[in-house]
């Protein structure tokens, strides 16, 4: 895969899957814009690790709708055009229905949807408008295995990712005539900083048992699927959802 002369904007790229995706695109020749919310230290570290020159940081909280137009505008001011948007930023908040009060419940739903769905929808809107003017582009959305198998401790997370899948498929139909192709990658548990920070040893052991591979996904394995969907030749895959879950959850 060759991404020379392609300009790529990746949300949530300070660490984890977004970082691995940025590294992979830069290694294949792309110019990469790294969006993040607040973690300047990690974002700067990621920027320094990218192959090639000219990559930039774009700090914006994309859960605020006014920031989504600004982010796409800033990216196009910097690079002239946007070829590929990767909607990767996501949050997950525990809110078990039998354990939390209503205030916690409603905040979890609102905050999760603002980042995981509305930000992706709003950025897709501005990216599509820009891509229509330049003859086309690609959008890849990072969803989750949880969109299919349920998330009992984080129902808003599962619902937001299921909605992201549905939005992607609707946009794939709408935007194909404009040469804009949409793909989705649905990872299972992936060995990111978040996983290391939040899992107890017992939870980790249980998770490893879910896959016949007896391990989690590595961020670069998720990045590989993102790059495939964004690559030349993958156009007819528009609307597809690629599972990267080590055969831990197989859907028909
Ligand atoms: N890790 C997994 O096991 C797994 C499994 C399935 C799906 N996924 C999905 O994969 C994606 C990446 O997950 P990850 O594990 O790599 O996450 P992570 O390590 O927690 O990193 C999240 C990234 O998103 C950014 N972010 C969060 N809210 C944002 C906002 N409002 N505006 C801009 N940036 C924001 C963070 O920026 P700051 O660092 O500045 O806060 C960070 O760069 C998410 O969509 C997640 O749902 C992850």
């Amino acid at each position: 895969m060759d991404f020379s002369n392609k300009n790529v904007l990746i949300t949530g790229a300070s660490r984890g899957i977004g970082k691995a995706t940025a590294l992979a695109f830069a290694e294949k020749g792309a110019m990469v814009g790294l969006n993040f919310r607040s973690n300047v230290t990690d974002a700067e570290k990621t920027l320094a690790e990218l192959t090639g020159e000219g990559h930039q940081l774009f700090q914006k909280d994309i859960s605020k709708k006014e920031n989504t137009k600004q982010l796409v505008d800033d990216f196009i001011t910097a690079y002239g055009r946007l070829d590929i948007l990767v909607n990767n930023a996501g949050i997950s908040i525990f809110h078990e229905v039998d354990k939390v009060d209503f205030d916690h419940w409603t905040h979890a739903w609102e905050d999760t949807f603002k980042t995981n769905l509305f930000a992706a929808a709003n950025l897709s809107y501005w990216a599509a408008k820009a891509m229509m003017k330049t003859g086309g582009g690609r959008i890849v959305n990072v969803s989750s295995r949880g969109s299919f198998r349920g998330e009992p401790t984080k129902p808003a997370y599962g619902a937001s990712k299921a909605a992201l899948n549905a939005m992607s498929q609707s946009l794939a139909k709408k935007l194909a005539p404009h040469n804009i192709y949409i793909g989705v990658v649905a990872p299972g548990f992936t060995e990111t900083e978040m996983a290391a920070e939040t899992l107890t040893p017992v939870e980790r052991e249980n998770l490893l048992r879910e896959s016949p591979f007896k391990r989690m996904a590595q961020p670069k394995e998720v990045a590989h699927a993102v790059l495939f969907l964004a690559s030349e030749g993958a156009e007819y895959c528009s609307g597809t959802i690629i599972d990267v879950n080590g055969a831990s959850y197989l859907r028909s």
Side-chain angles (χ1 to χ4, degrees), residues 11-18 35-40 42 60-64 87-91 115-116 142-145 157 161 186-195:
T11 67
S14 58
R15 63 181 204 168
I17 291 168
N35 160 255
F36 67 104
R37 180 183 42 189
S38 54
N39 191 342
V40 179
D42 277 1
K60 283 265 178 295
D61 179 350
I62 57 169
S63 67
K64 298 186 189 332
N87 285 309
N88 163 76
I91 58 169
T115 299
N116 295 10
V142 180
S143 176
S144 171
R145 175 182 63 180
Y157 180 79
K161 295 297 191 177
F189 222 95
T190 307
E191 194 131 31
T192 62
E193 290 87 338
M194 184 187 71

Side-chain angles (χ1 to χ4, degrees), residues 96-152:
E96 294 179 67
V97 66
D98 55 349
K99 295 200 175 124
V100 300
D101 63 24
F102 186 61
D103 198 40
H104 183 119
W105 176 260
T106 52
H107 277 110
W109 278 88
E110 284 160 17
D111 292 349
T112 303
F113 267 70
K114 274 187 199 160
T115 299
N116 295 10
L117 181 66
F118 300 158
N122 296 336
L123 285 168
S124 297
Y125 177 89
W126 294 115
K129 294 274 181 197
M131 289 169 181
M132 280 180 215
K133 288 187 197 146
T134 55
R138 315 203 178 219
I139 300 172
V140 182
N141 296 321
V142 180
S143 176
S144 171
R145 175 182 63 180
S147 63
F148 299 111
R149 68 162 200 176
E151 290 284 358

